[in-house]
Amino acid sequence: MKDDLDIYIKQCIQNDRAGQLKIYQLFSPVLYGICLKYMKNEDDAKDVFQEAFVIVFQKIHQYKFEGSFEGWLKRIFINKLIETLSRKRKESFFLDVFDPDTDFVEEEELEIVPIPQERLLEYIRELPDQYRMVFNLYVFEKMKHREIAEQLKISEGTSKSNLNRAKRILQKRILSIKNFKTA
């Protein structure tokens, strides 16, 4: 697989359509899934997905065949998602306010409520942009708050606060399912 992947990458560097198609076929399910996590709707996800793949093929000659190619692709997609959401944001995209008494509560043991993955992803997509972005970068991309703050040009406190608020919103939505089922 690694040898084939290297061949496809080299074909892409030469603008070979067959290589581009292979790269697209291999990685589009994962990359489209990332777009769906960050964007509010499928149309926006499809737009970013297409634009990011164009960037991939324009910049593929910059790939140094070191490290994970998939990681390199994901970084391009995440950067495009951040850029797109930043362009769309209003002045109050990120709340730079945090209350130490309410924003940084110790993690507590929660009762586990089974929820279908599709429903959870729907709830994540419904989060306000600023919360969804921080939540996805922290949870799915495993970024630290320092990295998120640098990437989004916000403070670490804002990153932590937005993550905490996203978790609370999701928790309320999930627990409302449980309460609805037991009512």
Side-chain angles (χ1 to χ4, degrees), residues 4-12 19-20 22-23 26:
D4 289 343
L5 181 57
D6 287 350
I7 290 169
Y8 302 146
I9 294 168
K10 289 174 184 173
Q11 288 174 327
C12 288
Q20 291 173 340
K22 284 293 190 183
I23 295 290
L26 285 172

Side-chain angles (χ1 to χ4, degrees), residues 38 75 78-79 81-86 89 93-94 96 129-138 143-156 158-160 162-163:
Y38 283 82
R75 176 60 45 211
I78 289 169
N79 286 340
L81 286 158
I82 290 169
E83 174 193 316
T84 300
L85 287 170
S86 295
R89 76 182 180 188
F93 184 72
F94 287 95
D96 237 337
D129 289 345
Q130 69 272 20
Y131 300 160
R132 187 177 65 253
M133 179 65 72
V134 171
F135 181 86
N136 285 333
L137 290 172
Y138 187 85
M143 291 175 73
K144 305 276 186 236
H145 285 292
R146 179 185 41 75
E147 297 170 300
I148 295 169
E150 289 172 10
Q151 186 81 30
L152 301 178
K153 296 174 181 45
I154 60 174
S155 71
E156 281 186 58
T158 300
S159 177
K160 291 175 183 178
N162 285 328
L163 175 64

